[in-house]
Amino acid sequence: MRRDVGTVLAGLGTLLIVMAVVLPTYIVGQVVKFPLSEYETATLTGTGMSYFSATKVAPVTGVDVRATYTIKGDPAAGSSSTAVWNEFSYVYDTTNNQPVQIMTRRFAFDRKTAELVNCCGASVNGNTRIKQSGVVGYVFPMNTQPKTYQVFDTTLNKPVPFTYDGTATVRGIKTYKFVEDVPPTKVGFSPLSSTQPEYYQIHLTYWVDPVTGALLNVNEDQKIFLQDPATGAQTTVLFGGDLQATPASVKQIVKLDSDGRNKLSLLGTILPIVLGILGAAALIAGILLARKPREEEALATPESAVDAAETPAAPAPWERDDASADVIPGLETEEKEPEKKPAE
């Protein structure tokens, strides 16, 4: 009975140890993915901003601006490997209480690598002909590495390098900084002028949690302007200024990210340690129980030897009555004289 219990415990212990090894190395990679039903809002604000007002048909300068970015997942369009999210960004002049800019985007991406996938009606401002590629940007790959990533830019409509720029702490979480630097680049023509090309430049900084790939903080310093082709001089600022994520927004995003980090920690660290300890204990107990009956037999051996010594040994074949030389070759026996019959 003890041996059976020991065998079961040893098997269970081995299974738990295997799970402790496989859980962080394989299972976490298969189970942990970016969600299908994401819902998140981030707010950036800036002061002393400039833009061209379509309402006033004139440049506006020195105003406060609030930019709100909302991400909402489309679970029905996604799958086990691909997530589909919709983005709506709304830039508002809080000084004059009027809208500045609206942008929509639909994108699909790999739920593990954060690489964009061209499917599921992906578009920028409704234009489905724009092929999105590179890393999403709103999320980076889980286990982000300190290297340059190609991230899709919705103004240039192509991926651009986001260079690793060291580490920084965001509300207690160590992050990797990535920087996009785009010098003044021609992007076409605006409705304002068919002769003066539109230019775009930006210095964009992302603070990314390398564990979850989540974007925790943003600083967006950009300018979009028209340029005189003859002189190369800047003529009209369409949008310009420095936008920074608000403390409240960063706090909210960090809270969501912390929940994700806790789940990863549970699956990747805490559970493997607990399973490993339980597995080792069960394995040791099983081995001890399985070996105990044998030890008891070994302890009983001396007594068995004494009993055997006290038991008379069986006579050898040649010591038995009527034994013959045929039993053991070479053994001779004395011939018995024949019995004499009584005289008649």
Side-chain angles (χ1 to χ4, degrees):
M1 180 63 180
R2 288 179 176 177
R3 181 175 296 180
D4 293 339
V5 174
T7 301
V8 172
L9 281 176
L12 177 61
T14 302
L15 176 62
L16 291 175
I17 291 173
V18 170
M19 289 181 63
V21 174
V22 173
L23 188 62
T25 57
Y26 178 76
I27 296 179
V28 169
Q30 297 298 315
V31 174
V32 178
K33 303 175 184 179
F34 292 110
L36 294 173
S37 56
E38 179 76 353
Y39 185 82
E40 184 178 321
T41 299
T43 302
L44 283 67
T45 57
T47 59
M49 304 286 291
S50 302
Y51 69 96
F52 186 87
S53 173
T55 303
K56 297 181 178 181
V57 194
V60 177
T61 60
V63 297
D64 294 342
V65 167
R66 180 180 66 244
T68 303
Y69 297 86
T70 302
I71 299 291
K72 187 175 182 180
D74 184 355
S79 67
S80 60
S81 60
T82 304
V84 180
W85 292 358
N86 293 308
E87 174 200 350
F88 178 78
S89 66
Y90 182 67
V91 183
Y92 190 75
D93 176 357
T94 56
T95 300
N96 298 300
N97 296 319
Q98 64 177 9
V100 176
Q101 190 180 78
I102 295 175
M103 192 273 287
T104 63
R105 179 188 178 193
R106 181 177 173 87
F107 54 95
F109 63 98
D110 188 287
R111 296 178 64 188
K112 293 181 182 178
T113 66
E115 289 282 341
L116 289 162
V117 180
N118 276 299
C119 74
C120 318
S123 64
V124 177
N125 288 323
N127 188 350
T128 57
R129 292 175 297 175
I130 296 174
K131 302 301 181 183
Q132 302 181 50
S133 61
V135 172
V136 173
Y138 295 114
V139 290
F140 276 61
M142 293 183 185
N143 191 29
T144 301
Q145 300 300 305
K147 66 178 186 179
T148 297
Y149 284 91
Q150 296 293 319
V151 180
F152 188 78
D153 186 301
T154 55
T155 300
L156 297 175
N157 289 327
K158 67 178 184 179
V160 295
F162 272 61
T163 306
Y164 172 71
D165 192 39
T167 62
T169 301
V170 177
R171 297 189 67 86
I173 296 178
K174 179 182 176 181
T175 64
Y176 288 167
K177 289 175 62 180
F178 293 94
V179 175
E180 174 195 15
D181 265 315
V182 176
T185 302
K186 183 179 176 180
V187 292
F189 290 87
S190 79
L192 292 180
S193 175
S194 59
T195 58
Q196 295 185 352
E198 180 179 331
Y199 279 79
Y200 162 78
Q201 70 181 60
I202 190 170
H203 179 82
L204 178 60
T205 305
Y206 281 172
W207 285 262
V208 177
D209 180 349
V211 176
T212 64
L215 178 60
L216 302 186
N217 198 1
V218 180
N219 181 221
E220 186 178 304
D221 187 1
Q222 68 169 306
K223 181 184 286 187
I224 301 174
F225 58 91
L226 301 183
Q227 186 180 86
D228 187 331
T231 63
Q234 175 182 305
T235 58
T236 305
V237 174
L238 302 180
F239 185 83
D242 191 359
L243 291 169
Q244 177 70 53
T246 64
S249 185
V250 173
K251 182 180 179 180
Q252 177 186 359
I253 294 172
V254 168
K255 183 180 182 302
L256 291 173
D257 182 62
S258 295
D259 293 340
R261 287 175 66 93
N262 290 338
K263 292 177 182 177
L264 286 174
S265 178
L266 177 64
L267 291 174
T269 303
I270 297 175
L271 275 181
I273 291 175
V274 172
L275 290 175
I277 293 173
L278 291 176
L283 181 60
I284 293 171
I287 291 173
L288 292 176
L289 284 174
R291 293 180 60 184
K292 194 167 184 180
R294 297 181 182 179
E295 294 174 356
E296 290 177 352
E297 290 175 6
L299 291 174
T301 300
E303 297 178 3
S304 299
V306 172
D307 293 341
E310 294 177 353
T311 302
W318 58 84
E319 295 175 344
R320 299 173 188 163
D321 294 334
D322 302 325
S324 67
D326 296 334
V327 177
I328 301 178
L331 180 64
E332 296 180 354
T333 59
E334 296 181 359
E335 295 182 0
K336 295 182 179 181
E337 294 182 1
E339 295 181 1
K340 293 180 180 181
K341 297 182 178 180
E344 297 179 354

